[in-house]
Each structure stands twice: as structure tokens, then as C-alpha cells.
Amino acid sequence: MKKIITLLIFATLLSCDENNQNIEDTNNLLIGNWTHLTYDDEETTFSRVNSLPENKYGVSFKTNGDYLEKSSGFCGTPPLSFYNINGSYELKEGLININLNNYSFGWRIISLTKTTLVVKRELTQQEIEHRELMDLYNEFFNLSVSVSCTDSKDWSFVGYGAKACGGFQGYIAYSKNIDVVSFLDKIKTYTEAEKEFNVKWGIVSDCSLIPQPTSVICNNGYPVLEY
């Protein structure tokens, strides 16, 4: 009987030691490794583990602000190949802001215990401003496709946007029968806004120059840029 009690006590102590190994910082339960995702509507639940599995999605938060994500990317076709993505994070008022190179996103903590982390996707300021930038883009893009292309003589093109390294993001065709002044003003507004966005958020890009078209032709009612 004493042997059984001793074994039970030892097993209990061993179990406690194993659980304690998972908690790297008792003052900040976010620190550690998280995987075994489950989804419930907009919420994602992680489970704490000692180390990230080799072939499963997981994330790791370090005390020095480093963030590691083990991912297979956007491709979901087996066999999946997982790799590490390094970044940084900041925890402020229950919001985890995660930065991965030029991309950032936010997780709002719904619940955090020693064993589980429940988060909900939340837009970061960078994402909010990027959506505003896309709204500006849609304004001039919708104008450019508002007229059917039937005669190429009625069409021209213009450069738009600003790559972080310099130069246009691309060129867009437009009809001379639309409100050209308003259209070009929208192009200018978008281009200046993208320049400011790139500087503010430290966006990087390649330094290759986008080739300039030579003309516009009409194809089945749509304008096509020729180079």
C-alpha cells in the first residue's frame, strides 16, 4: 500500500513539473509556444505546448519581443512543408500586434490561461490605412472601366501609384470621354497617399522599373495596353 501511495505522489509531482515547464513566465502567460488550433466563428483557440511540432502550424512568443510562426503558407495541398517565419510582436492592452517583414496583423486576446489562448483577428492601424489606400485605388479604377473601349483613338494611359524603391506601381488606361481632370486628380491623390504609406510603415520593394506602354488597343470592349 505504501508503495502505491509513493508511486501516486511521484507521478503527481512529475506531472506538476511537466506542466510548470510549459510556463516560461508566470507574469506573462502569453510567453511560450502555442499550437493545436481550433476555430469557432471568428475566434481561434491555441493550446500551450513545450515546443512547436515539426509538421503543424504553431506560434511562439518570446520574452524579448521575438515572434516565430511555423507555417506551410497558403498552399493546403498535401504533403505540406512547414517552415519558420520570424518577426516581432508587441502586447498592449490585450492586443497582440505582430510584424512579419512588411506585413503586420493583430490578435485581440479573448481569453488567456496557463493552457489555452483564445484570440480574435483585429485590424492593425497599418491594415486600416491600407484599406483606405485601396478605397482610393478603386475610385479611379472604377472610372477607368466605366466606358467600353470601341475606338482606341479615344483612349490614353497614365502611371499610377508609387513603389517604395521609386517609380510607378503600374499603368492604367482611361477614356478621354470621362471626366479626365477628376480621374487624374484621383490618380495623383492615390499616388501621394501610397508614397506616405510606404514611408510611414517602412515598406520595401524591388527597384525594377515598370515598362511604359506605347499605346492602347480595344479588345472585345476592353482597353489593352500595348508595349
Side-chain angles (χ1 to χ4, degrees):
M1 185 67 178
K2 289 183 179 180
K3 290 182 178 180
I4 294 176
I5 294 174
T6 301
L7 288 173
L8 287 174
I9 293 174
F10 177 76
T12 301
L13 292 174
L14 181 61
S15 176
C16 291
D17 287 340
E18 289 177 348
N19 289 334
N20 287 335
Q21 289 176 2
N22 290 332
I23 311 299
E24 296 183 26
D25 187 346
T26 55
N27 294 319
N28 184 358
L29 295 179
L30 181 63
I31 303 301
N33 305 303
W34 303 90
T35 188
H36 305 312
L37 282 69
T38 58
Y39 301 95
D40 182 12
D41 196 14
E42 296 182 348
E43 295 182 359
T44 303
T45 300
F46 293 85
S47 296
R48 187 188 297 275
V49 291
N50 278 326
S51 59
L52 294 180
E54 289 298 321
N55 297 306
K56 186 178 291 185
Y57 179 85
V59 298
S60 179
F61 299 95
K62 305 297 184 182
T63 55
N64 63 355
D66 285 346
Y67 170 84
L68 185 145
E69 180 176 310
K70 185 175 289 292
S71 173
S72 61
F74 295 104
C75 180
T77 304
L80 300 180
S81 178
F82 287 82
Y83 54 90
N84 292 336
I85 304 174
N86 294 298
S88 62
Y89 77 94
E90 180 183 18
L91 176 60
K92 187 176 182 180
E93 298 178 352
L95 179 64
I96 312 171
N97 287 308
I98 299 170
N99 297 292
L100 300 173
N101 295 324
N102 292 326
Y103 176 66
S104 67
F105 62 94
W107 278 333
R108 173 66 62 183
I109 296 178
I110 306 301
S111 174
L112 176 59
T113 69
K114 292 181 178 180
T115 57
T116 60
L117 167 65
V118 183
V119 296
K120 182 178 180 180
R121 189 73 165 80
E122 187 164 311
L123 293 179
T124 63
Q125 186 61 36
Q126 181 179 352
E127 289 176 309
I128 292 172
E129 292 183 17
H130 186 264
R131 287 193 173 188
E132 294 172 349
L133 194 62
M134 291 302 96
D135 289 340
L136 293 176
Y137 172 86
N138 288 331
E139 286 186 18
F140 70 79
F141 176 79
N142 291 335
L143 269 179
S144 73
V145 296
S146 63
V147 178
S148 178
C149 185
T150 57
D151 187 348
S152 60
K153 294 179 181 178
D154 294 332
W155 287 77
S156 187
F157 60 86
V158 64
Y160 70 88
K163 296 177 68 172
C165 196
F168 294 125
Q169 285 283 9
Y171 289 86
I172 189 168
Y174 66 92
S175 170
K176 298 175 185 177
N177 295 321
I178 64 172
D179 187 341
V180 175
V181 174
S182 175
F183 176 78
L184 295 179
D185 281 345
K186 293 180 185 298
I187 292 280
K188 181 179 179 181
T189 298
Y190 172 81
T191 300
E192 292 301 319
E194 187 167 36
K195 286 180 181 177
E196 294 174 4
F197 180 87
N198 291 341
V199 172
K200 180 177 181 178
W201 298 107
I203 305 301
V204 298
S205 71
D206 62 76
C207 296
S208 61
L209 294 177
I210 302 298
Q212 181 174 323
T214 56
S215 61
V216 180
I217 61 172
C218 295
N219 187 358
N220 295 324
Y222 293 96
V224 177
L225 297 174
E226 277 199 323
Y227 295 86

